[in-house]
Amino acid sequence: MARIGDRLTIERARRIVLAAQGFTDPLPSGPVTRRHLQRVLSRTRFLQMDSVSIAVRAHYMPLFSRLGPYDRDLLDRAAGESTARAPRLLAEYWAHEAALIPVQDWPLFGWRMADYRFGRYGSAVDEPAERSALRVEIATAIADLGPSTGGELEEYLGRRREGPRRGTWWDRSEVKHVCEVMLAAGELSAIRRGGFNRHYDLAANIVGPEIAATVIDRDVAIRTLVGKAIGALGVATETDLRDYYRLPVADTRSAVADLVDSGDLVPVEVDGWDRPAFLDPGARVPRRVERSALLAPFDPLVFFRPRLQRLFDTHYRIEIYVPEHKRVHGYYVFPYLLDETISARVDLKAERADGVLAVLGAFAEDGVDRGHVARSLAADLVSMATWLGLDGVRVGTRGDLAPGLRAALGGSG
């Protein structure tokens, strides 16, 4: 049991973190079930969402990384359906970013919904009376129609826009904009259907009237979220804890002090870290971690890049918005966890017309055994391709790991 002021080696810190994130849990011996999904959620706390689908949408990948191949309909049902036998597990709201959060956590974000009463970037002075009236119209329309897209609501309300549209996320009608404001305010949530489109519904219909009506004091809610963050992180700086749910600085600082006083955070030092850290007193400390996993750019193990560098000495940046000729590793790059290190990164694309998972680039990290990494990575890429319904893996020429990876795939990659 760690004591206040204890010093952790970076290797021990990594093992604590990997255990907290579920990488030491046993792999399923049979089909992945709803119980396995709940186990992963008990580790990660939420699943971040993103619209990029070049390989697979971000919220599906953390389950694959921790469980192996599974039926993605399992997650779709957990977020999109609610039955007496299988109540809805997840609802969409802003956690780290847009995310699927456990339904029971919805009230913990009431303070954020209040802060976002007029949208994530708005204020009362920005909302004219016409927009307030439109909020009422939208809520009434959804009550009549059920879950609806912005376009369906435009049509129903007689507010269909004329003229060409660019088809981009910022080309929003007033109806769509107000739906997003209402989602941020917690009046609506959404179900993703058909091309990842948001089908807005009243929050009470998605999380249930009782949960939607539950009010938790701001300080209690943020303290609870910091507690959930340390459970997911294992060992973390105050900045790490704040970033996990994107919490306000002053509120987080107060919550951390309270949790230290109550013994729910243990102050420690970590070799190589230039700031104090905190340990989950219930954290598991495995002797070793033996697991490999492809990690999506928005996996909670890697989404806070400064923490990734502190833990694994890995400088990683997503390059989606970097001009192609300036990219170092590629458009949508997956870090590769092998045991206790980030050993490689691969730029992946699901080329569905050809039925292959294309490795557009494969790069080894410094100091790794490239042959060992290539063999392990090849097996995980084949598993991922099969999971995505693709026939095989094709390796391009970019990157120092590409030749070894191609050889590990039997020259067929």
Side-chain angles (χ1 to χ4, degrees):
M1 180 66 68
R3 297 166 297 178
I4 293 174
D6 274 2
R7 191 171 192 90
L8 304 179
T9 65
I10 191 64
E11 293 80 11
R12 191 179 186 202
R14 284 178 193 155
R15 292 195 293 270
I16 290 169
V17 168
L18 291 169
Q21 278 286 308
F23 289 104
T24 58
D25 292 340
L27 291 169
S29 58
V32 173
T33 66
R34 182 179 169 99
R35 183 169 295 179
H36 293 112
L37 167 58
Q38 289 172 303
R39 188 185 75 190
V40 172
L41 288 170
S42 75
R43 306 295 186 211
T44 66
R45 310 298 181 179
F46 58 80
L47 300 170
Q48 186 172 334
M49 308 178 84
D50 188 77
S51 61
V52 176
S53 62
I54 190 167
V56 61
R57 295 199 191 277
H59 60 294
Y60 293 114
M61 195 66 196
L63 296 174
F64 175 77
S65 300
R66 289 156 179 80
L67 298 172
Y70 72 99
D71 183 353
R72 281 173 284 167
D73 285 345
L74 178 72
L75 180 54
D76 292 340
R77 291 192 299 271
E81 299 177 3
S82 191
T83 66
R85 290 190 60 187
R88 189 189 313 274
L89 289 178
L90 297 158
E92 182 173 347
Y93 191 62
W94 295 99
H96 181 80
E97 288 289 339
L100 292 172
I101 64 170
V103 165
Q104 66 267 23
D105 285 356
W106 185 266
L108 294 173
F109 295 92
W111 59 273
R112 176 166 285 163
M113 296 167 188
D115 288 353
Y116 290 170
R117 174 69 180 83
F118 301 99
R120 297 175 67 211
Y121 310 107
S123 65
V125 297
D126 297 326
E127 180 156 292
E130 295 82 1
R131 186 172 295 170
S132 299
L134 181 54
R135 291 169 85 139
V136 175
E137 288 184 54
I138 288 171
T140 301
I142 290 174
D144 291 341
L145 293 173
S148 306
T149 65
E152 289 167 344
L153 290 166
E154 283 179 353
E155 193 75 37
Y156 185 81
L157 295 171
R159 290 172 174 264
R160 186 179 180 88
R161 286 180 39 174
E162 302 299 331
R165 299 191 183 190
R166 291 171 290 178
T168 48
W169 66 267
W170 58 82
D171 186 29
R172 291 176 173 165
S173 70
E174 184 68 0
V175 169
K176 174 67 173 176
H177 173 77
V178 173
C179 285
E180 290 294 297
V181 169
M182 294 173 73
L183 187 147
E187 297 164 25
L188 304 179
S189 187
I191 301 167
R192 298 282 187 161
R193 293 174 178 163
F196 204 57
N197 292 317
R198 277 182 174 143
H199 287 68
Y200 300 98
D201 199 357
L202 302 177
N205 291 342
I206 289 183
V207 302
E210 184 175 348
I211 289 176
T214 299
V215 177
I216 300 176
D217 289 344
R218 180 188 182 102
D219 58 342
V220 174
I222 291 179
R223 190 162 59 245
T224 302
L225 289 172
V226 172
K228 287 179 176 290
I230 193 60
L233 295 170
V235 60
T237 67
E238 182 182 301
T239 305
D240 297 335
L241 293 169
R242 185 171 72 241
D243 179 80
Y244 207 72
Y245 287 104
R246 298 286 169 86
L247 302 173
V249 175
D251 296 274
T252 304
R253 193 161 294 149
S254 176
V256 166
D258 288 346
L259 291 167
V260 169
D261 287 345
S262 67
D264 294 303
L265 286 178
V266 179
V268 294
E269 295 181 4
V270 178
D271 287 346
W273 291 14
D274 62 358
R275 62 196 66 188
F278 303 93
L279 178 70
D280 176 5
R284 293 170 296 153
V285 190
R287 292 186 177 182
R288 65 182 64 84
V289 177
E290 297 177 338
R291 183 68 63 85
S292 62
L294 287 152
L295 303 168
F298 304 107
D299 190 286
L301 185 64
V302 304
F303 62 37
F304 189 37
R305 314 305 186 206
R307 175 177 168 85
L308 180 69
Q309 183 142 16
R310 267 186 279 117
L311 272 170
F312 295 100
D313 195 25
T314 299
H315 179 79
Y316 171 66
R317 297 291 182 270
I318 192 164
E319 298 180 274
I320 290 174
Y321 304 110
V322 176
E324 185 173 1
H325 69 281
K326 293 185 177 181
R327 291 177 192 145
V328 176
H329 295 105
Y331 179 80
Y332 201 71
V333 175
F334 288 65
Y336 183 58
L337 174 71
L338 181 55
D339 299 331
E340 299 173 19
T341 65
I342 302 296
S343 62
R345 58 189 88 190
V346 284
D347 183 19
L348 298 181
K349 181 180 181 182
E351 295 188 344
R352 294 171 177 86
D354 294 338
V356 297
L357 180 62
V359 182
L360 305 179
F363 308 85
E365 297 298 304
D366 292 340
V368 302
D369 179 338
R370 292 185 184 178
H372 174 57
V373 172
R375 289 188 294 273
S376 178
L377 178 56
D380 285 327
L381 287 167
V382 169
S383 177
M384 182 174 174
T386 302
W387 173 57
L388 295 177
L390 302 171
D391 298 324
V393 178
R394 182 171 64 210
V395 182
T397 59
R398 291 184 58 245
D400 57 357
L401 193 59
L405 187 56
R406 192 178 302 105
L409 288 163
S412 59

